[in-house]
Amino acid sequence: MPSGAVREPKVVKVLQGISGEQVLLELQARSAWNQRDYEQAQRIAEHAAAMAAEHNDDNAWWNMTFLQAESLRKQGLVRESAQVARTLQDHPMTEQSAALVARVCTMTSLALQGSGDLADAVVEARRAAESAARIPGQQELHIEAQNALIAALADSDQLHDAWTECLVLADLLEENASKQTAGMSYWAIGNVAFLLQRVEDGTKYHRLAAENLSPTNDLDLWARFNRASAALRLAAGVVEPETLECIDRAEMASSIVGGSERDRLELALTRAHWLVLTGQFDAAIERLRAVTSQESLLATHTAAEARFLLGQAYNARHIELEALLNLEASEQLFVQSGANDRAAAARQLIHQVQGG
């Protein structure tokens, strides 16, 4: 028998084995993601991407690298997530597809928001929204990008620009978005309304969000929504039973689903904000000291908010040195993150403490 006739089936078997292993790894990575085992999903996706690169399978490499970046972000490793996302942006596949540009720029923006790099986050989200808007029939992709853009603008104190983008998002929601997508979008619009002191609009849109989001569908998302809703109400000075109910729901849901240490700190910060606004300063100081002792895990603007609240609480207890130290740290962190209006608020309180 000719030698070629013997070797050919062996080559086919090897190639089939590679394909089978690749598919298995991708399935395992997505299964770990669906089970919220993000560390495992990241490890498997990284392995699958490396195997795909070895065999020049660009589609598999792109999808697994994207999953790796998303899994890093879910673990709170936002800088690492942004770094992996940059490799996707530079890939020829991405450059040839407006849809892939929108997906990866949205993810990059969210990672940059998480690290407090707000100016860059706005740039990435705007690029994502502009790319998605050019693609017919990609409403969900456009909505995701629009949500990222609104969040980045709001975090960087560009509230009027954020509200303009909210109106664009509201128009998109009229095209029969899914309930979860609509819920998350109403959540984003309500956030901006609260920040603009449009309390009636903020309450309206957050109620719409609650009607569309369900704890039975995604308890983790429900926990994050309630924490964020409480945080925005508190930022607008809304200290009502409904605000406390949001905090209680977030804490209960988080105790079930777990979450990262960063999630725990952000929830503790929200509870501490409630304590400050309701005059429970000693309890607030205790919680805020625990949060600021691990502020390296938080986004820069979130760490700044924790320092600001701690300064407020110390000032209310007439402990001026600690108040000034924390307010000065808050101002520096707000400036570093690009939240200039919040930095100005910190400076104003510093002057009041010094003048008192």
Side-chain angles (χ1 to χ4, degrees), residues 16-290:
Q16 288 174 340
I18 291 168
S19 176
E21 186 178 357
Q22 179 73 47
V23 170
L24 180 60
L25 284 172
E26 292 183 23
L27 290 173
Q28 289 174 338
R30 297 194 185 283
S31 175
W33 169 270
N34 290 335
Q35 295 171 33
R36 295 192 174 85
D37 187 348
Y38 300 121
E39 184 178 356
Q40 178 80 342
Q42 173 217 327
R43 285 200 304 268
I44 298 172
E46 187 174 2
H47 184 190
M51 179 178 289
E54 273 184 45
H55 298 96
N56 299 313
D57 187 340
D58 285 347
N59 284 329
W61 176 87
W62 203 100
N63 287 324
M64 287 295 98
T65 302
F66 187 90
L67 183 58
Q68 180 190 349
E70 282 281 61
S71 298
L72 285 165
R73 186 172 65 84
K74 286 289 190 178
Q75 293 173 73
L77 301 171
V78 287
R79 294 191 185 281
E80 294 85 344
S81 174
Q83 186 175 3
V84 173
R86 295 292 192 195
T87 67
L88 286 168
Q89 288 191 8
D90 295 337
H91 195 272
M93 268 188 66
T94 308
E95 295 171 357
Q96 294 166 12
S97 167
L100 294 186
V101 168
R103 285 183 66 198
V104 74
C105 287
T106 297
M107 180 177 62
T108 306
S109 177
L110 294 173
L112 290 168
Q113 288 175 50
S115 64
D117 298 317
L118 299 178
D120 288 341
V122 170
V123 171
E124 294 294 341
R126 199 174 291 284
R127 183 182 175 203
E130 289 171 354
S131 295
R134 293 198 298 268
I135 314 167
Q138 289 289 340
Q139 178 202 16
E140 295 275 332
L141 198 63
H142 193 179
I143 288 173
E144 288 176 11
Q146 202 67 25
N147 274 315
L149 177 56
I150 289 165
L153 287 167
D155 277 347
S156 55
D157 288 336
Q158 300 178 57
L159 295 178
H160 293 290
D161 287 345
W163 187 250
T164 299
E165 300 300 340
C166 284
L167 299 179
V168 174
L169 178 58
D171 287 342
L172 288 171
L173 294 175
E174 293 179 2
E175 300 175 21
N176 298 318
S178 69
K179 284 184 72 68
Q180 180 153 313
T181 297
M184 294 182 69
S185 300
Y186 288 132
W187 173 5
I189 296 170
N191 289 351
V192 177
F194 275 120
L195 290 169
L196 285 167
Q197 299 296 315
R198 302 171 68 124
V199 174
E200 187 175 338
D201 283 335
T203 302
K204 167 191 165 183
Y205 282 111
H206 275 194
R207 283 177 181 157
L208 284 171
E211 289 171 9
N212 282 276
L213 298 174
S214 168
T216 56
N217 290 338
D218 191 331
L219 190 57
D220 177 57
L221 181 63
W222 179 250
R224 288 190 289 113
F225 163 67
N226 278 283
R227 188 202 70 77
S229 183
L232 269 296
R233 289 165 184 265
L234 293 169
V238 181
V239 184
E240 296 177 350
E242 193 173 358
T243 304
L244 184 57
E245 287 171 12
C246 287
I247 299 172
D248 290 339
R249 285 196 295 263
E251 289 176 341
M252 183 174 62
S254 296
S255 71
I256 297 170
V257 300
S260 67
E261 185 65 13
R262 180 179 179 139
D263 294 332
R264 187 190 67 77
L265 291 171
E266 289 179 349
L267 187 52
L269 176 60
T270 303
R271 172 65 75 170
H273 197 167
W274 166 268
L275 292 170
V276 169
L277 292 184
T278 54
Q280 302 174 67
F281 300 115
D282 290 335
I285 287 170
E286 183 179 353
R287 284 180 181 264
L288 289 165
R289 287 181 65 183

Side-chain angles (χ1 to χ4, degrees), residues 314-328:
Y314 274 126
N315 184 45
R317 300 293 291 125
H318 305 292
I319 306 173
E320 292 184 2
L321 178 59
E322 291 293 338
L324 286 171
L325 287 172
N326 282 282
L327 290 170
E328 287 167 357

Side-chain angles (χ1 to χ4, degrees), residues 325-348:
L325 287 172
N326 282 282
L327 290 170
E328 287 167 357
S330 170
E331 180 193 4
Q332 291 170 7
L333 289 167
F334 278 130
V335 169
Q336 183 181 331
S337 66
N340 295 322
D341 287 352
R342 297 295 290 142
R347 277 194 299 275
Q348 184 178 6

